[in-house]
């Protein structure tokens, strides 16, 4: 069975494909299915609600089983912000550079130990018969003092994951190889859990 990926973010799409394909989940993009997915308003107040909204909308439009992810960054010193508003934190949707600039400015008075944060990802699969599967993944870390690295997307250049095995180097997610990011990322964890529920390779 093919699963349609319900996302227009090309960087995110690459990660979803990279993580799901080796797990035995065959994914296709809307253009490969001869479709153009319409925009959907993310009106939910949780990652889970937004992932469901995106997957349900794509499933209704395509008649195919659809997988969506909703994700973002939660910063403790900002009481969990930007959270579900991560993509539009600095106003314009998806302006990564401005989002990072705003975040670093908000945290500028804080020491490293007070800059704790986590990436969160809710992954959702909706089937045409209405069946819904969901899974969540989180990745703990700190916000650095300046952007570093060219990999990944979004807040990766300012996020220093805790679980990377060389903590003294304080490498950002954007400085890690894509495969290493997938092994420790919120998205990797959520999708591996979702794939188990779907019944892909263990
Ligand atoms: P969404 O497309 O509504 O899920 O928005 C996700 C937003 O959260 C992105 O635009 C990024 O700003 C941020 N984000 C989510 N996942 C990641 C990631 O893996 N790395 C960096 N930023 C991320």
């Amino acid at each position: 069975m093919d699963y349609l990926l319900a996302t227009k973010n090309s960087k995110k799409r690459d990660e979803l494909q990279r993580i799901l394909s080796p797990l035995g989940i065959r994914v296709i993009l809307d253009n490969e299915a001869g479709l153009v997915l319409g925009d959907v308003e993310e009106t939910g107040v949780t990652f889970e609600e937004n992932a469901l909204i995106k997957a349900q909308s794509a499933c209704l439009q395509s008649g195919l089983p659809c997988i969506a992810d909703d994700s973002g960054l939660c910063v403790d010193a900002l009481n969990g912000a930007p959270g579900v508003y991560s993509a539009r934190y600095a106003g314009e949707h998806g302006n990564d550079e401005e989002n990072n600039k705003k975040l670093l400015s908000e945290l500028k008075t804080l020491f490293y130990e007070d800059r704790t944060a986590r990436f969160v990802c809710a992954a959702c699969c909706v089937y045409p018969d209405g069946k819904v599967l969901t899974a969540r993944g989180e990745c703990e870390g700190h916000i650095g003092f300046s952007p570093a690295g060219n990999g990944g997307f979004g807040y990766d250049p300012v996020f220093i994951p805790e679980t990377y095995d060389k903590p003294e180097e304080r490498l950002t997610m954007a400085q890690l190889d894509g495969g290493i990011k997938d092994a420790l990322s919120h998205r990797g964890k959520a999708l591996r859990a979702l794939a188990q529920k779907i019944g892909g390779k263990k």
Side-chain angles (χ1 to χ4, degrees):
M1 190 190 299
D2 287 336
Y3 290 79
L4 179 67
L5 286 186
T7 179
K8 296 190 160 197
N9 177 331
S10 63
K11 296 280 173 94
K12 204 195 250 193
R13 207 176 54 199
D14 292 347
E15 288 191 11
L16 290 165
Q17 279 185 305
R18 199 169 68 199
I19 297 165
L20 287 171
S21 297
L23 296 174
I25 310 288
R26 283 210 322 256
V27 291
I28 53 166
L29 307 176
D30 55 353
N31 61 330
E32 293 166 347
L35 292 159
V36 180
L37 290 177
D39 282 327
V40 52
E41 230 188 308
E42 295 175 31
T43 52
V45 294
T46 64
F47 294 109
E48 280 78 5
E49 281 171 12
N50 281 334
L52 178 63
I53 288 170
K54 288 188 252 189
Q56 248 167 358
S57 160
C59 185
L60 271 173
Q61 290 177 64
S62 66
L64 296 169
C66 291
I67 293 177
D69 120 338
D70 194 67
S71 46
L73 179 71
C74 300
V75 179
D76 292 321
L78 302 175
N79 297 317
V84 291
Y85 306 106
S86 291
R88 45 202 147 132
Y89 185 44
E92 193 190 326
H93 189 97
N95 188 332
D96 294 340
E97 206 178 318
E98 288 302 316
N99 286 339
N100 284 327
K101 225 187 261 178
K102 178 172 176 185
L103 179 64
L104 292 176
S105 158
E106 296 282 343
L107 303 182
K108 66 175 183 281
T109 58
L110 298 185
F111 292 116
Y112 190 73
E113 56 270 28
D114 297 321
R115 302 168 76 93
T116 51
R118 69 204 48 76
F119 274 134
V120 179
C121 174
C124 180
C125 179
V126 173
Y127 292 85
D129 67 2
K131 182 174 147 190
V132 175
L133 301 172
T134 53
R136 184 184 177 97
E138 300 193 2
C139 176
E140 298 287 334
H142 287 80
I143 305 302
F145 294 98
S146 57
N150 300 311
F153 67 99
Y155 297 93
D156 281 345
V158 298
F159 184 83
I160 298 168
E162 195 166 86
T163 41
Y164 184 53
D165 62 3
K166 294 176 195 155
E168 66 289 350
E169 291 184 16
R170 289 193 182 171
L171 292 181
T172 68
M173 204 70 123
Q175 290 174 296
L176 302 180
D177 176 77
I180 297 179
K181 175 175 178 181
D182 297 344
L184 46 88
S185 81
H186 50 315
R187 185 162 298 104
K189 290 175 187 168
L191 289 170
R192 286 189 287 276
L194 186 71
Q196 283 222 351
K197 293 183 183 183
I198 289 173
K201 282 188 218 155
K202 299 291 178 288

